[in-house]
Amino acid sequence: TSTKQYPISYTQLSTAERNRLYELKTTTSLSLRAIGRELGRDVSTIARELGRTRGEEGYYLPDRAQQRMQKRRQQSKTAFSQV
């Protein structure tokens, strides 16, 4: 039996998804898994987003998360283009 492998496709969270994530995280007691279902994203994406973009204060802010994503994206393009 041969299993067909497909390329992994990853789309970053949109600004609207980040805002909704913040809203769900701060106003409900939903689990990360339930938040992922609500957003149509895997729980690992939600956990990674919350862990990667927490501020020094220890909590998630969607505007800061968007800025950090844009900075990471710009740095990766710069580094890649220099190869």
Side-chain angles (χ1 to χ4, degrees):
T1 42
S2 171
T3 58
K4 201 171 199 178
Q5 291 192 355
Y6 297 95
I8 296 172
S9 176
Y10 173 76
T11 56
Q12 296 183 343
L13 292 176
S14 67
T15 303
E17 288 175 310
R18 285 189 170 91
N19 288 329
R20 183 72 174 135
L21 171 59
Y22 175 76
E23 179 186 338
L24 291 170
K25 188 73 177 138
T26 57
T27 62
T28 69
S29 60
L30 291 175
S31 67
L32 295 184
R33 191 168 303 282
I35 291 172
R37 276 194 302 267
E38 179 77 22
L39 294 175
R41 296 291 189 145
D42 193 86
V43 64
S44 64
T45 301
I46 303 303
R48 203 176 312 116
E49 174 72 10
L50 292 172
R52 179 187 308 165
T53 56
R54 251 182 307 192
E56 299 80 37
E57 305 84 14
Y59 50 87
Y60 179 79
L61 296 173
D63 294 336
R64 183 178 292 154
Q66 186 72 21
Q67 290 169 351
R68 288 183 178 183
M69 179 277 300
Q70 289 171 336
K71 184 177 178 181
R72 279 192 312 273
R73 192 173 207 188
Q74 185 61 41
Q75 288 172 341
S76 71
K77 286 183 180 182
T78 303
F80 184 73
S81 67
Q82 294 174 355
V83 172

